[in-house]
Amino acid sequence: VSSEHWLVTRMRAANLSVWELGDLLGVHPHVLERSETHVRIPDLPAHVLVELAARLDLHPADLLTDFDAVLTNHRQPIPTETPATPPDTTDISQVGTSEAAAGDPDEYTNTDADVVLVALMHGGIPLSVVELATALSWSLDRTQAAVDHARHHPERAGPVVLRRVPPQSWTVGARLDRLTPDQHQAVVALEPHRVPITPTEAALLLAVLNNQRGPSFTQFRDAQPAAEQELARAGVLTADGDLRGTPETLYSLRYRPGPDR
Amino acid sequence: VTGRASSNLRRMMLANGVQPQTGRRRSTTRPADHPAQQPGSVPETGPVAGSDRAAAARVLLVDNARDTRAVTAYLAQHPARQQRCRSGRVLIRPTPAGLSLDPHVLGLDLLTALGKNPNWLRQVDPDLVWQYARAWSDALGVTEIILDRAHQVTEPVVRALAELAGPDRRLWLIWSSDRDPAPLCAGLNTELVLRQAVRSVTPDDLTAALPVLPYDPAPPYQAPTQDWRTLPTADFTTFRAACRRHLSPHRFAALDATYTAAADTTDTWCAEYHDTLTTQPEQIGGTLAAWLRDHQIGPCINPSTALITLRATQAALLPAGIVLRFDPRALGTDAARRLPGDLHNPSIISGLLAHTRTTDTAATALSLHLNQPPWVFDCWRLRHVAPDGSHLTAPETHHHRGPGHAIDRPGGGLIDRLDHLDRERALSASSNVAEIACLHPIHLPRPAWPLLAAHRAYRLAQPGVTDDDPLFTHPVTDRTPPHPGLREAINRTLLRVFHPAPWMHHDPCRQGPDIGQHPRAQGWLVQRGLSVHPLDPTVTTGLHRSPAETVDW
């Protein structure tokens, strides 16, 4: 995997656009789009390196190893090949319990379970054990043991939970026991980001706020049903029959003192 | 100064027409406005108190024959270059190894002392070194020029420096040698530009006249505050109420003070332009953009303050029939950090001040302030620039051909290739104003004043140039228009200050906040996701009134 793919993947995960990255590095995005990037990491100011590392979910020393000597918060080693003794040779039923295996068996089963959970989150679709084993280049036994371990120790998954998708696929989802029913209902009811107010909506809002009730207003209002609905959905105008501004809108636009908190 | 060396020095100076130093504790003073000494006349020998003696003369020879450690320590405590410029002092350290015999090299030393990057000075035209040095000295307000190791430079070199100092600045020559300074001083005394004889003073006179400034290091880098992340993302229609609901009372009180003040300022602005708002609302966009840029939102250094000010301005503009839309979706994850003006970034200002070519720095500063390429820069004449570089007035006549962003890439059809988000953005921005910067006065941030003042001084010092000549010419040739050369100069300068500008590209850029706009718009508003939409007068007629007079709901 090239470094370019690594950078693009991390940028995508961090929702960092090429424009923002170029702005951060002090180069134009066109420079980053070319293969010959002339950005030298050691030439960048320290605050840029720290900010860049934070955006890309890295330790600053991952970008510049000189940071290892000066930072008190050191890097944690990444277990690329975790198990000292591959569990492929062990009996599945003994995984996590066999004392004969070299090293701490819980350690590699825990780590394998974490890897499986992360892989399922990245995958985005339910994956079978075979698909997981193929993607991770693991044996089927090892993959099955990791899935079983994650299933038997749900506390390791933190706020997510491993779910079975019939017949034999696995995925991850959000736990349901951390939110109150009201919180859950309110979160589910949230709508995607709304666009800023449009000129048509602003004209309707302005007419309503200034208490226009003439025939021209009625004609204008009838011609803009979508604007009225959008303003009501955004909590700017009341949704009941009498069209007027909500207390929040009147207060924000300084039409009257604030509502009670 | 005591000893045989000092006696010899005094004797030689008397013999060559230089007034020697006298006892620093003498009480007798001489008038500050004593007549200028004629070349070749007998020097005055009367005793003079140190401070008065320094105040009376414009060229002062500091007798440091023994090269004392105290003088070395004093010069070493001289403030760093940024503060040095603020204090009006500049300390020149001549380049050693014989190069100081060349006036051109001393000019480079002076530019280095003025804060210019010595690595970039090699690209400066040797014939223009002293012109740039004079222009930057004027712009930075230099009043005291101190030349260290003056005994190592030749008379033509010092004469060039004395001519630059002129009658408005004092020139201190640190003479740290037993060698006779009389030939140098006699040569300087013949120069009519000095109007004053070279006067010898003691190091104590120097330290008394220019005491060491307290150590004031540059403030450490401070990342912009992140408190704007905890501000509500609601549109201006409900922003204030959302803040009141979600923030602590203490924080909301501080926020609401900023909000109310910004809204009141907007009300005042609306009252000032009431006639235009009611009769020709479609023509208010340019004036509004200039006001937001120079006075209302641009000067807000803190992103949080900028966002609060923007929301209050939006709320106050709506009753006046103006919709100021803020769409942060194209601005990335740190949208509020893009609201303040680009010239309020200290690292950019210090980077620009390290450049020597005034054309490059002034054009880049204007481009950064306006967020526009230099397509209107040939409208301004030198008389339109304030001497201190604080502002530009609007020219009476204009020379620009049309908005540079009106030219789309050949083939067209850009808007058809946009996804839904970009299409919506393009349609919503269709009524956006074309920011033609030269139609309105421009007020620059205080740190950027020297950039324009230096260019004005440089241009006016060129032979045959008057107030009526263009502010910008082509950097290489005198042909007009200067756009192509200025564009390249700005791009080079922006790369050096690590601040690339999407609006400076020849072709529509695939990146940047103007994606999806057809034609591609460039300006302060676009770079901040803002667009101005005057409401239809047929809808808003009769609706203009102060919010305080509204009906009781």
Side-chain angles (χ1 to χ4, degrees):
Chain A
V1 179
S2 66
S3 59
E4 184 179 355
H5 173 77
W6 169 87
L7 178 64
V8 170
T9 303
R10 283 194 175 270
M11 286 175 55
R12 198 168 293 166
N15 290 324
L16 185 67
S17 67
V18 178
W19 179 50
E20 289 183 270
L21 181 63
D23 196 31
L24 190 62
L25 297 177
V27 299
H28 193 273
H30 285 182
V31 179
L32 297 173
E33 290 173 347
R34 303 188 195 110
S35 57
E36 66 283 4
T37 300
H38 300 290
V39 179
R40 293 186 70 249
I41 293 291
D43 292 343
L44 296 175
H47 70 88
V48 171
L49 283 172
V50 172
E51 181 71 16
L52 183 62
R55 296 286 191 93
L56 297 178
D57 194 18
L58 291 169
H59 191 277
D62 292 333
L63 297 172
L64 189 64
T65 54
D66 295 346
F67 274 118
D68 275 331
V70 296
L71 295 181
T72 55
N73 185 14
H74 296 289
R75 285 187 285 178
Q76 301 296 322
I78 300 175
T80 53
E81 292 295 334
T82 312
T85 301
D88 298 354
T89 58
T90 61
D91 184 0
I92 299 175
S93 61
Q94 300 300 316
V95 167
T97 58
S98 173
E99 297 295 330
D104 184 3
D106 281 342
E107 185 175 347
Y108 58 71
T109 49
N110 286 340
T111 307
D112 280 1
D114 292 346
V115 172
V116 164
L117 290 172
V118 172
L120 288 174
M121 294 180 74
H122 278 293
I125 58 174
L127 300 176
S128 65
V129 176
V130 176
E131 290 169 330
L132 272 174
T134 306
L136 298 176
S137 299
W138 287 359
S139 69
L140 205 56
D141 293 342
R142 180 180 176 186
T143 310
Q144 184 64 56
V147 171
D148 290 342
H149 189 77
R151 190 159 54 93
H152 294 148
H153 299 83
E155 73 280 1
R156 293 199 53 77
V160 300
V161 64
L162 184 67
R163 297 190 192 283
R164 182 198 297 270
V165 178
Q168 284 297 328
S169 295
W170 299 92
T171 187
V172 290
R175 291 176 61 161
L176 296 175
D177 55 347
R178 297 296 176 91
L179 297 178
T180 65
D182 292 340
Q183 287 176 328
H184 180 263
Q185 188 174 0
V187 168
V188 172
L190 287 178
E191 296 181 358
H193 177 72
R194 288 184 294 270
V195 298
I197 190 171
T198 64
T200 304
E201 296 167 359
L204 178 62
L205 172 63
L206 187 57
V208 171
L209 292 181
N210 287 283
N211 208 15
Q212 282 210 344
R213 293 294 184 267
S216 61
F217 169 74
T218 305
Q219 183 180 1
F220 176 74
R221 177 186 175 184
D222 293 342
Q224 309 293 340
E228 184 176 335
Q229 291 176 5
E230 179 62 26
L231 289 176
R233 193 173 65 88
V236 177
L237 294 179
T238 55
D240 52 6
D242 187 17
L243 200 61
R244 50 191 168 82
T246 60
E248 289 79 8
T249 302
L250 298 175
Y251 175 64
S252 298
L253 299 182
R254 298 181 303 147
Y255 275 75
R256 78 170 196 187
D260 295 335
R261 299 184 62 145
Chain B
V1 178
T2 58
R4 179 178 300 177
S6 177
S7 302
N8 293 337
L9 174 65
R10 184 179 293 110
R11 191 163 50 249
M12 287 186 289
M13 292 172 69
L14 282 171
N16 288 279
V18 180
Q19 181 184 352
Q21 64 177 13
T22 56
R24 71 177 74 100
R25 300 301 179 196
R26 303 285 180 85
S27 59
T28 307
T29 58
R30 65 186 303 276
D33 54 349
H34 69 285
Q37 208 166 38
Q38 297 301 317
S41 63
V42 178
E44 300 178 34
T45 57
V48 179
S51 58
D52 290 342
R53 185 167 51 241
R58 309 311 302 173
V59 180
L60 301 108
L61 187 80
V62 181
D63 182 7
N64 187 33
R66 301 189 66 178
D67 200 6
T68 60
R69 188 172 298 175
V71 174
T72 304
Y74 166 78
L75 295 177
Q77 294 176 29
H78 213 66
R81 65 181 187 186
Q82 293 290 339
Q83 188 186 2
R84 184 188 316 158
C85 294
R86 287 200 299 268
S87 64
R89 305 178 192 178
V90 60
L91 171 62
I92 307 174
R93 306 276 195 178
T95 303
L99 291 175
S100 53
L101 304 179
D102 186 357
H104 166 65
V105 177
L106 189 76
L108 297 178
D109 293 335
L110 173 56
L111 286 172
T112 304
L114 287 168
K116 306 304 164 192
N117 190 327
N119 290 325
W120 300 342
L121 287 176
R122 68 188 66 175
Q123 299 170 356
V124 177
D125 187 349
D127 297 334
L128 302 177
V129 166
W130 283 95
Q131 294 185 36
Y132 284 131
R134 182 184 297 276
W136 283 110
S137 299
D138 291 342
L140 295 172
V142 173
T143 56
E144 309 284 348
I145 301 176
I146 307 171
L147 177 61
D148 192 18
R149 322 298 292 177
H151 59 281
Q152 291 184 344
V153 300
T154 58
E155 180 194 334
V157 174
V158 179
R159 188 186 304 133
L161 198 58
E163 289 177 1
L164 183 141
D168 300 328
R169 302 182 183 91
R170 281 192 297 191
L171 175 61
W172 303 78
L173 306 174
I174 311 295
W175 192 270
S176 306
S177 170
D178 282 347
R179 192 158 52 83
D180 182 11
L184 170 70
C185 299
L188 290 178
N189 281 337
T190 61
E191 298 295 331
L192 294 178
V193 294
L194 297 181
R195 300 184 182 179
Q196 298 280 348
V198 178
R199 186 167 296 276
S200 176
V201 296
T202 66
D204 289 344
D205 294 332
L206 172 63
T207 55
L210 304 177
V212 174
L213 297 176
Y215 180 61
D216 184 18
Y221 173 79
Q222 290 184 343
T225 56
Q226 305 289 322
D227 55 349
W228 66 269
R229 294 173 189 269
T230 57
L231 292 177
T233 57
D235 204 356
F236 71 93
T237 49
T238 53
F239 178 79
R240 191 184 181 199
C243 291
R244 183 185 175 95
R245 178 182 178 187
H246 292 292
L247 301 182
S248 66
H250 176 72
R251 190 175 174 207
F252 174 75
L255 180 147
D256 200 44
T258 305
Y259 188 96
T260 307
D264 291 343
T265 307
T266 308
D267 288 342
T268 305
W269 184 86
C270 290
E272 183 180 352
Y273 291 93
H274 178 265
D275 293 341
T276 309
L277 285 168
T278 52
T279 58
Q280 297 173 316
E282 70 280 358
Q283 296 185 4
I284 201 65
T287 307
L288 175 62
W291 177 69
L292 294 173
R293 178 193 67 216
D294 295 344
H295 303 287
Q296 183 73 346
I297 299 176
C300 296
I301 300 175
N302 190 341
S304 173
T305 308
L307 184 60
I308 298 167
T309 304
L310 169 64
R311 292 306 191 193
T313 306
Q314 290 178 287
L317 283 174
L318 179 64
I322 298 291
V323 180
L324 178 63
R325 293 187 89 222
F326 174 52
D327 192 349
R329 287 175 292 175
L331 301 181
T333 52
D334 289 345
R337 286 176 61 174
R338 300 190 182 276
L339 287 176
D342 293 44
L343 279 185
H344 290 281
N345 188 332
S347 65
I348 291 178
I349 289 294
S350 61
L352 291 178
L353 286 174
H355 276 261
T356 302
R357 288 180 185 160
T358 58
T359 304
D360 298 6
T361 53
T364 306
L366 275 178
S367 179
L368 283 172
H369 186 64
L370 305 172
N371 298 110
Q372 281 185 335
W375 64 280
V376 300
F377 283 14
D378 52 349
C379 294
W380 287 299
R381 306 280 152 173
L382 285 167
R383 66 174 181 274
H384 298 129
V385 185
D388 60 355
S390 59
H391 65 276
L392 289 91
T393 56
E396 303 82 9
T397 57
H398 296 270
H399 303 274
H400 59 265
R401 295 177 180 174
H405 59 263
I407 306 171
D408 198 2
R409 181 174 293 180
L414 180 63
I415 200 168
D416 297 332
R417 299 194 297 269
L418 304 174
D419 59 13
H420 174 72
L421 186 146
D422 289 339
R423 185 191 302 274
E424 189 276 334
R425 192 182 308 145
L427 294 176
S428 65
S430 59
S431 63
N432 202 354
V433 296
E435 294 181 51
I436 304 176
C438 56
L439 297 180
H440 311 281
I442 296 173
H443 294 267
L444 291 165
R446 178 67 180 86
W449 291 6
L451 300 171
L452 244 65
H455 183 58
R456 179 181 180 276
Y458 170 76
R459 286 280 293 138
L460 286 175
Q462 290 180 317
V465 174
T466 64
D467 265 358
D468 204 31
D469 283 301
L471 174 62
F472 291 104
T473 58
H474 195 280
V476 179
T477 67
D478 290 335
R479 65 186 170 91
T480 57
H483 307 153
L486 282 181
R487 180 184 284 273
E488 297 306 320
I490 293 172
N491 273 327
R492 284 196 309 269
T493 310
L494 288 174
L495 280 179
R496 283 186 168 173
V497 299
F498 290 99
H499 195 80
W503 62 86
M504 287 301 299
H505 273 237
H506 296 280
D507 298 326
C509 183
R510 293 204 303 150
Q511 315 292 340
D514 56 340
I515 299 173
Q517 296 206 356
H518 185 79
R520 302 296 292 258
Q522 292 156 340
W524 190 88
L525 292 173
V526 175
Q527 288 300 314
R528 284 150 185 82
L530 298 171
S531 57
V532 177
H533 305 265
L535 294 181
D536 187 355
T538 59
V539 175
T540 59
T541 298
L543 301 182
H544 301 285
R545 52 180 167 161
S546 169
E549 302 171 3
T550 53
V551 296
D552 184 11
W553 292 85

